[in-house]
Amino acid sequence: EAQYDRWVELTHSADRVTWATAIMVLAHLSLDDHNCPRLMQSLAKIRLDPASPDTLIQLGQAMLLGNLPRNDADATALGENALVVDTLVAYVRDHEDDRLRHLACAALRNLSLPVPNKRIMLARGLMADFLRLMKESINAPVLFESIRSVKSLLQEEAAHAVFFEHDGLGSLVYIDGKEFQDSQERVLLEAGRVWAHLAVHDASVPKLCADGKASFANPLGRLLASPFAILQGEAARALRICYSHPQGARLVPTNAELTLCDQLSKLVAATNDVNVRSLAVRALAAMLREEVNAVTAAARPSFAHTDLVGALGVCSFPEE
């Protein structure tokens, strides 16, 4: 107990090395869930300074603040703490160290889960910061946490207008063709989940189908090709919604879209998940409503050899 309080006290040391050591010790203590309630209680006594130029202090502060929100109550309290938010915002906006930006984006994503904090972050303009990082960074961990933060903020209704105002679709399209320092499939899958999330928002669907282009084809195709039923289901639901919309129905089939037909037909035949199979059948039905799409898809060998009729016997179509 006394030693714990001593580390908190040492964050106020005039010696930068001592301060850095103390904040890093506290940050590592925060990795254990059992320590977080005590750290939350002591937060007002822990020295936080977003202006400190010391890299270890910066990393320690970002790590500590990212680990503390273990529940909505703690996250809400941290979101209402201006110093906490100021520190993390400064690390996202004013620093180029990818380690620091990664920790700060991850911390802000953890803070963003309660609805009140989403509104605080939108008011602070963080949507634009995350979208900027999606275009500027080539570091996979930074990209992953930026995309997760965008996805979290989009659960707030008002965030959609902000997303499109700052060319959010441009950032997503940019991610689709980007080469990373350390190639990580999870970045592309998480970006695909943002496309899927946008599709279930009625006002966003026309924008996803704008200019006669299905820019969502590759990102959602990756979700369909993943081994995870939850991702497959999200993609199939999004495709059904997009192609059920009048603008989606007018999309001219491209190779990417025809590949989606192949993927959906294979998924219908191969998956053991009834919900995923049902969503995939609905997506196919929406895509093939237009005669030109149906004729083109049916001529593809990979599509023609799928037993869709047999698969329909094990589908479930609950009222939506």
Side-chain angles (χ1 to χ4, degrees):
E1 293 289 326
Q3 195 171 43
Y4 175 93
D5 292 336
R6 181 60 177 157
W7 286 118
V8 171
E9 181 183 335
L10 286 173
T11 63
H12 294 270
S13 172
D15 179 70
R16 186 184 295 179
V17 174
T18 302
W19 176 15
T21 302
I23 199 69
M24 288 300 291
V25 168
L26 294 174
H28 282 85
L29 286 172
S30 72
L31 295 171
D32 187 331
D33 287 348
H34 298 295
N35 294 326
C36 287
R38 176 74 181 272
L39 289 166
M40 281 294 298
Q41 293 172 4
S42 304
L43 187 60
K45 300 177 183 178
I46 298 172
R47 180 184 179 188
L48 297 176
D49 183 3
S52 172
D54 187 280
T55 301
L56 283 179
I57 292 173
Q58 295 167 352
L59 294 173
Q61 291 180 153
M63 184 190 302
L64 172 65
L65 297 177
N67 289 335
L68 286 182
R70 300 298 174 121
N71 54 60
D72 277 2
D74 287 346
T76 301
L78 290 165
E80 293 172 349
N81 186 319
L83 180 57
V84 168
V85 178
D86 287 345
T87 300
L88 295 173
V89 169
Y91 291 164
V92 168
R93 288 182 180 163
D94 304 330
H95 294 265
E96 297 184 359
D97 187 318
D98 283 329
R99 298 170 300 170
L100 185 58
R101 293 199 293 192
H102 166 231
L103 288 171
C105 286
L108 287 167
R109 186 267 171 185
N110 291 343
L111 288 182
S112 74
L113 298 180
V115 171
N117 286 3
K118 297 183 197 297
R119 295 169 183 162
I120 290 171
M121 292 186 187
L122 289 170
R124 295 293 299 266
L126 279 163
M127 175 68 84
D129 292 304
F130 295 134
L131 293 174
R132 173 182 56 81
L133 286 177
M134 287 168 61
K135 284 187 174 179
E136 291 181 1
S137 179
I138 58 172
N139 180 268
V142 172
L143 290 169
F144 182 69
E145 295 300 344
S146 298
I147 295 167
R148 291 179 81 209
S149 298
V150 168
K151 182 160 67 73
S152 176
L153 292 180
L154 283 171
Q155 293 172 14
E156 173 66 16
E157 182 76 16
H160 286 255
V162 181
F163 175 86
F164 288 107
E165 178 185 344
H166 292 281
D167 191 29
L169 284 185
S171 294
L172 285 175
V173 170
Y174 198 74
I175 285 286
D176 197 45
K178 178 177 287 196
E179 293 185 5
F180 310 140
Q181 283 176 335
D182 42 346
S183 179
Q184 291 192 22
E185 185 183 13
R186 66 177 188 158
V187 174
L188 296 174
L189 291 178
E190 197 66 18
R193 298 189 79 182
V194 177
W195 284 99
H197 183 82
L198 289 168
V200 301
H201 188 261
D202 291 342
S204 298
V205 176
K207 297 181 176 67
L208 301 187
C209 304
D211 302 324
K213 298 178 183 177
S215 300
F216 52 78
N218 285 333
L220 293 182
R222 290 192 188 94
L223 299 188
L224 290 176
S226 79
F228 307 110
I230 188 171
L231 302 187
Q232 295 167 350
E234 287 178 4
R237 181 182 289 106
L239 289 169
R240 177 185 65 80
I241 294 170
C242 287
Y243 284 100
S244 296
H245 190 277
Q247 281 187 244
R250 291 195 294 270
L251 291 172
V252 177
T254 63
N255 284 335
E257 291 176 271
L258 292 171
T259 299
L260 285 176
C261 286
D262 293 343
Q263 290 177 302
L264 285 167
S265 61
K266 291 176 182 176
L267 189 58
V268 168
T271 183
N272 292 319
D273 189 303
V274 174
N275 181 57
V276 170
R277 182 181 296 114
S278 304
L279 289 168
V281 167
R282 285 179 178 271
L284 272 174
M287 292 182 73
L288 303 180
R289 282 191 309 168
E290 297 297 312
E291 184 177 356
V292 62
N293 293 2
V295 171
T296 306
R300 293 167 70 86
S302 55
F303 184 83
H305 293 161
T306 302
D307 181 14
L308 293 178
V309 176
L312 285 173
V314 282
C315 287
S316 172
F317 301 108
E319 291 298 321
E320 296 184 337

